[in-house]
Every structure is written in structure tokens, then in C-alpha cells.
Amino acid sequence: MNINEIYLDQPEGLSTIQTCPECSGSHIISDYACGTLVCATCGLVISDNYVLDDQPEWRAFSKEERNKKSRIGDPLSPLKIDYGLGTTIDKRNQDGYGNLLSPRRAHRINRLRWLHDRNHRSVTRNLSKALAELKRLASQLGLPMSVRSEAAIIYRKALRKRLIRGRSIDGMVAASLYLVSRSHGLPRTLREIAAASRLDKKEIARCYRVICNELNLKLPPTDATSMVPRLANDLGLSTAVQRRAIQILKDAERLKLCIGKNPMSLAAATLYIAAIEFGERRTQQEVAETAQTTEVTLRNRYKEIKRELNL
DNA sequence: AAGACGAAAGTGGTTGA
DNA sequence: TCAACAACTTTCGTCTT
């Protein structure tokens, strides 16, 4: 299971981490600047959920130090509608001392509040729906906070460029997540995303193309090796099998056996081969089903690889 | 009996004219 | 816009373990 998945939705669990799950080192440090928990020995990011800065910040001996004091409120988050910086005008018609405003001033403030609200209403309404869907989808897909935040940034850019107009919010959210999950090396297939959202593959693919074109983004084709760890996980295969599968994939890549092939099928085929080599055999049906493909495709891929690599 | 195999026909997406 | 095309899927009968 992905470490991020374990801790993502239960930040209180963070305080109980004593050793690194990767190298078993005990030197775990908090990087408050990016809000992550990191192993100082091997560099594994144990959680990129927000780690609250609990260090003292009340001492300031010089003007410089005073100016450096930066901790006011939560860290900024693109997942919050206003990045966590509220700028709304208080509903109570009181001044800073709690005294009621004069009728004349109260009227002015009401007017300002109304204007402010009206200006932000359309963007706010869109974002509140979009960000809620983004969080829901990402959590269903098991995507970590780093991917969620960046997807939110992509969506905001699309919104600013008025790309959402006339398209579905959910589709653009799904497309943002698809894009960022790929660019972060944690690809989810269109099929998986479509299954988790209420839209079909075609619709999401269309939104994805729009975002890529309009924001001038170009991603390389998905690398089959990035599919291996998750698939192996779902099949309960050891890391040795994973490493072997990736090795086979590299060789297949070299012989140009991967061009134009579905990366998920390739990952499935090489894992199938590697699992047999290591005595962790899984049936074709099991592997194909987990990879969301068919036995026939799995067979075609694995026969081809086996033949060309003389395995 | 379960799993693997492969033929045949059909589907959906890409490409290039 | 359309046809050609490769990859993929579905279905099903047969073979192997």
C-alpha cells in the first residue's frame, strides 16, 4: 500500500511515526517550508500531508528577525477557494473594539460587502464545486496531496483562461487530475478516472486535450514502468518481482516492443512473466482483471516479449 | 476442473490523404 | 471527412496441467 494512502486522511497518525518504512532509519524530520515529513537518511517523503509548524516563533532580537516572523495562519493551499486567506467582510457591523457602527457607516459596509461578494460569486461558486469534486476524486483514486494541489493549480489556470465555460466542471477536474497524476509518475488510466467519476473516458479525454493545447502542456507517453508498483501491489507481488518486471520492460523498450502498446498491458505482461520466474505465479485471468485488460491482450504481449527476449 | 491457448469477428482511436 | 490501420476486446472451442 502506498504510504501516502495510509496517512493521507488521518494526519493525527503522523505523530506516531518513529522509523522510516523504506530504510528503517529513525531520523525523521519535518520540512515545515513545504509541510512534508521526510526521512533524513534516505530522503523518502513519508507524508506530504500538512505538517504543522509547532516550533516557537516568539523570539525576535532584532528588526530583521522580527520581519522574518512569518507564521500567520495556515499554509496557503490551492485546494481552498481563497487559498486559505479569507478576504470577506465580517457580517457583524462592529468596529475593532466591538462597538456598533453608525447607521451611515453600516450602510457603506453593507454595500461594500455586497459588491465584494458579487464580484467573487461566479468564480467562487465554480471553485467550490470543482475543488470539492477534486478532493473526492483524488481521494477515491488514492492520489497524494502533492498531486491534488497541483491539479488544483492547473484547474485554476484553466478557469482563468475561461476554458471551463461551456464544458463540464467535473470533466475538467478529472482531466486535471489525469494530467498531474501522469506528470508526477503516479499515472492513473483514463479508464480508472472515468470509473471514479460520473463521466466517460471520451469526455475526460476531450477536456484533457483542451487543457494541454490551451496551457501549452505536452506530456511524454505514459511509461509502463510507472504502472508496475501499483499493479504489483494490487496483485500482492514482492518487490523482487517488481524489479525484475521493470528490468524486462527496459529490455523490451530497447527492442522497440513497447511502441503504441497500452502501458498497462505491458506492465501486466512483464509482471506475469516475472511472477512465474520468482515462483509467485498468478493466473492470466487474475493479472488481466487487475490490469483492467483481457487475457488475450495479456497473452499477446507476454508471448511477444518472451519470444523477442528469448525468455 | 481450472487455466492457458488462439482463431475470428467486432470496437474505438489515430493517422494521413 | 473518410478510409486504412494497428491495438485491443469479446467470444468460444480446444488443449494442457
Side-chain angles (χ1 to χ4, degrees), chain A residues 57-88:
Chain A
E57 199 192 45
W58 51 78
R59 295 190 309 172
F61 298 114
S62 65
K63 198 176 171 204
E64 257 170 68
E65 280 185 3
R66 240 191 307 283
N67 288 341
K68 265 175 71 182
K69 292 217 289 183
S70 61
R71 206 177 63 218
I72 306 151
D74 289 340
L76 295 183
S77 165
L79 290 168
K80 294 178 184 164
I81 290 177
D82 49 13
Y83 292 87
L85 284 177
T87 56
T88 48

Side-chain angles (χ1 to χ4, degrees), chain A residues 30-33 35 50-57 70-71 73-75:
Chain A
S30 304
D31 182 344
Y32 294 124
Y50 292 127
V51 174
L52 295 183
D53 186 353
D54 54 359
Q55 292 177 307
E57 199 192 45
S70 61
R71 206 177 63 218
D74 289 340

